[in-house]
Amino acid sequence: MSVSLLRQQLSRTLRSWRFPAIAGIGIVLVALNYWTTFHATFVLPKSDPTFFRYMMLFSDVGAGGSIYCMLLPCIAALVGGGLYSDEKNSGRLRMMLARTGRRDVLRSSFCAGFVLGGCGGVLPLLLNLVVAVVRQPHMSFIDGVDHIATNPYFAYYPVIRSDSWLYPLYKASQPLMLVVVFALIFVLSGAYACLAIGASAFIGKRYVEILVPFAVSLLIWLLPAILPIRAQLVANEFSQVVFLNFSADAGPYGAWGAAANVMLFLVLAGVLYGIELHRDAL
């Protein structure tokens, strides 16, 4: 791997329009989540103060979290998925291949893309965290029982339901849970960006690679619809739209679904990497 090329790709992308664009998307998602949570047709029941009420993925009422989960592959690919395509379309790739070789260029692109995709994926949630802490600088523990079902006049929505796969960690340590959530989204986003980089080697038009991880994630999300009912409950949790929606009933298999999701995208990216690596030998 070429360290100098890796630094150039990181520096070039950090100074490009991509990160400001993701920041703008993040601001829109945070505003949408806040509006749909606190300005809905009903009044959100009061509970102990906690900034999680203002955060996507932890607010089961707001719409921002669901949209963020759906767009996450596109967001990650927009930031880190176009490195190899940029080199190819700018005309720099031929000189790089002559100087460092295809292996080094690919490795540098995949490593830089993973880091950039991870940073881009967590950026909207990081902006949301800052706003949430400013709005409500408290971290009260709220149990995972939905009391609205039993007493709708004196109730609250749980931050994370007791049957969610993340609830034990939320109950044990909320700061540690936040670190795990951000690390999970970082790795997921990096895997999405790697698949986009691998696909960009075989796509002629620029920016089309952004749609590849989104298309694969959409297929994973729709897959349970064609499976038997018994298999749907397990297969459904392999989609990031499900296992990243922490406030909902994601069931006990969310952690396995997240691991399988990451492995699937990395394996697909690795296959495309291997095919492109041996292009010179063909």
Side-chain angles (χ1 to χ4, degrees):
M1 181 177 65
S2 174
V3 178
S4 60
L5 176 58
L6 176 66
R7 291 176 179 174
Q8 291 175 12
Q9 290 176 324
L10 290 173
S11 175
R12 191 183 305 124
T13 305
L14 289 173
R15 291 184 283 106
S16 70
W17 57 270
R18 298 176 186 266
F19 270 98
I22 298 303
I25 294 174
I27 292 173
V28 172
L29 290 174
V30 172
L32 177 63
N33 193 70
Y34 175 83
W35 182 263
T36 53
T37 300
F38 296 99
H39 294 81
T41 55
F42 58 91
V43 178
L44 189 68
K46 293 183 178 180
S47 65
D48 292 336
T50 175
F51 64 80
F52 285 108
R53 290 292 187 212
Y54 294 83
M55 285 195 67
M56 300 182 294
L57 308 183
F58 300 98
S59 173
D60 197 20
V61 181
S66 299
I67 299 176
Y68 170 65
C69 290
M70 182 65 72
L71 294 180
L72 184 60
C74 288
I75 292 174
L78 176 61
V79 178
L83 294 179
Y84 196 72
S85 176
D86 289 343
E87 306 293 5
K88 182 170 58 175
N89 287 280
S90 65
R92 294 188 297 265
L93 183 59
R94 289 185 178 181
M95 294 184 293
M96 291 178 179
L97 294 178
R99 185 171 63 251
T100 62
R102 193 178 299 274
R103 183 184 299 272
D104 285 344
V105 174
L106 283 172
R107 287 183 176 179
S108 301
S109 298
F110 272 89
C111 289
F114 184 88
V115 174
L116 292 169
C119 293
V122 302
L123 181 57
L125 196 62
L126 182 61
L127 294 173
N128 196 174
L129 176 63
V130 174
V131 174
V133 171
V134 172
R135 292 284 301 179
Q136 187 66 270
H138 298 281
M139 194 181 287
S140 303
F141 174 76
I142 299 174
D143 68 62
V145 180
D146 189 355
H147 296 271
I148 292 180
T150 57
N151 190 350
Y153 298 102
F154 186 71
Y156 57 84
Y157 288 100
V159 172
I160 299 177
R161 298 183 189 276
S162 57
D163 47 9
S164 173
W165 67 276
L166 196 65
Y167 185 75
L169 187 57
Y170 166 70
K171 188 176 182 180
S173 174
Q174 295 183 48
L176 178 60
M177 181 201 68
L178 271 178
V179 173
V180 170
V181 167
F182 274 91
L184 172 59
I185 295 177
F186 182 91
V187 174
L188 276 171
S189 302
Y192 297 150
C194 285
L195 178 58
I197 290 176
S200 68
F202 305 93
I203 298 176
K205 294 185 178 180
R206 206 170 188 178
Y207 304 123
V208 178
E209 69 275 357
I210 297 174
L211 300 177
V212 174
F214 174 76
V216 175
S217 66
L218 185 62
L219 289 176
I220 295 173
W221 184 51
L222 296 175
L223 178 64
I226 63 175
L227 296 177
I229 296 179
R230 292 184 178 180
Q232 288 182 9
L233 297 177
V234 177
N236 190 47
E237 295 181 25
F238 284 83
S239 172
Q240 85 282 357
V241 180
V242 178
F243 64 71
L244 285 183
N245 190 8
F246 304 122
S247 58
D249 178 13
Y253 305 107
W256 294 104
N261 195 287
V262 172
M263 290 303 300
L264 173 62
F265 279 86
L266 289 180
V267 167
L268 292 175
V271 171
L272 295 176
Y273 165 83
I275 296 174
E276 176 65 11
L277 181 63
H278 292 87
R279 177 171 291 188
D280 292 333
L282 297 178

